[in-house]
Amino acid sequence: MWIRSDLKMKAKQAFKKNYWAAVVVSLILAVILASGGSSGNNDKDNLSISRYTQSVGENGNVAVTGVTYALNVFEPLRVLTAPLRAMMGLVTVSMKVLLVVLLIILKILIFNGLEVGGRGFYIENTYSNPGIGRIFGAFRSGSVGNVVKVTFFRDLYLILWSLMLIVPGIVKSYEYRMIPYLLAEYPDMPQEEAFRRSREMMYGNKWKAFVLDLSFIPWLFLSEVTFGLVGIFYVRPYMDATNAELYETLSQMNVN
């Protein structure tokens, strides 16, 4: 049995004793976890000659405004440049697609490993003062391939569960919550065991973990009104340290 206030008290003590390293690691975690629009048509590109303002004089003649005259003059130019504009649009879409693909590759091969390393930093920070370099622990472990594989399937399963309905995706996100922490301590842990142990650790604790997350809402609001400054220098390290304390507590409970 664990108490939310106890976890948060221990977390404050843990990250404050290694403050600046915790701030940097949490900032990196926030950036890599956040990395994972379409533009509408401009009505001005769809103007046609039929859209003009006209006035009728006393003699019954129609006087066309200067706007319509300008459209008539530049209409041939618009027709000639249409293929070029279409090509530029295609290039823009292609660049967006390539950017998305690149971000997906970076998440699978790099960001997930940094996430595991960041969780490892906070696990060690509960009992020592690790350096910022601990965030690269997954890549130095000799089992980075296993880390990449397990975290890839974690993300894939979460996406598939979320496609069913929002609620199952949220439930599974809590069920898989301990996977990065387990990999941080045991980078060679097989996929099946990592999922099983995370499931066992979170059994009966998903709702309490959800309430724990809700307890940070006032802090997150304060972060927003301070343009993220409180988030960078306090809230993010506080939350990351609290989650590490939760992992440590559940690990001991699971062993016992």
Side-chain angles (χ1 to χ4, degrees):
M1 197 68 179
W2 53 275
I3 300 175
R4 183 172 67 251
S5 58
D6 289 345
L7 293 184
K8 298 175 84 170
M9 180 186 66
K10 292 178 181 177
K12 289 179 185 178
Q13 297 172 349
F15 90 80
K16 285 181 178 179
K17 68 181 174 61
N18 195 15
Y19 179 76
W20 286 110
V23 167
V24 173
V25 169
S26 286
L27 180 59
I28 296 173
L29 284 174
V31 171
I32 63 176
L33 293 176
S35 52
S38 60
S39 59
N41 294 328
N42 191 335
D43 288 339
K44 293 181 180 180
D45 291 336
N46 298 322
L47 284 172
S48 63
I49 299 178
S50 60
R51 298 176 62 184
Y52 60 85
T53 305
Q54 60 182 6
S55 61
V56 180
E58 293 181 357
N59 57 0
N61 294 328
V62 177
V64 182
T65 64
V67 173
T68 306
Y69 177 75
L71 286 174
N72 285 327
V73 170
F74 289 106
E75 185 65 20
L77 181 61
R78 291 182 67 256
V79 173
L80 289 174
T81 58
L84 178 60
R85 288 186 289 112
M87 184 178 298
M88 292 300 296
L90 182 60
V91 170
T92 301
V93 171
S94 300
M95 292 298 293
K96 289 181 178 180
V97 172
L98 287 174
L99 179 60
V100 170
V101 172
L102 178 60
L103 285 175
I104 292 174
I105 294 174
L106 286 175
K107 175 168 176 54
I108 294 172
L109 299 180
I110 306 296
F111 294 168
N112 282 346
L114 291 176
E115 179 192 357
V116 169
R119 303 311 182 195
F121 168 88
Y122 273 101
I123 293 172
E124 291 186 13
N125 199 59
T126 61
Y127 57 82
S128 65
N129 290 349
I132 298 172
R134 178 60 179 86
I135 199 171
F136 300 105
F139 300 99
R140 299 169 178 169
S141 65
S143 300
V144 64
N146 184 66
V147 170
V148 168
K149 183 187 76 169
V150 176
T151 52
F152 167 76
F153 279 104
R154 175 205 60 176
D155 295 340
L156 178 62
Y157 293 158
L158 284 176
I159 291 172
L160 294 177
W161 278 106
S162 299
L163 289 176
M164 295 177 60
L165 281 174
I166 297 297
V167 174
I170 295 175
V171 171
K172 287 297 178 181
S173 70
Y174 280 92
E175 186 174 297
Y176 301 158
R177 186 169 184 149
M178 296 300 146
I179 290 177
Y181 296 91
L182 290 166
L183 291 174
E185 284 203 293
Y186 314 103
D188 58 345
M189 179 177 287
Q191 176 184 328
E192 296 78 8
E193 185 178 355
F195 277 81
R196 178 184 59 79
R197 289 190 59 178
S198 180
R199 190 181 306 112
E200 291 174 352
M201 293 171 70
M202 293 303 296
Y203 180 77
N205 291 294
K206 289 189 283 293
W207 175 254
K208 291 184 67 177
F210 177 69
V211 175
L212 175 64
D213 290 342
L214 292 180
S215 70
F216 286 104
I217 288 180
W219 283 110
L220 294 173
F221 176 75
L222 182 60
S223 176
E224 289 294 322
V225 298
T226 57
F227 305 100
L229 291 178
V230 172
I232 293 173
F233 294 105
Y234 189 84
V235 181
R236 292 303 312 187
Y238 184 18
M239 293 175 64
D240 291 333
T242 302
N243 282 311
E245 293 291 343
L246 176 60
Y247 169 77
E248 286 288 284
T249 300
L250 294 182
S251 294
Q252 295 173 9
M253 291 171 56
N254 197 247
V255 170
N256 297 332

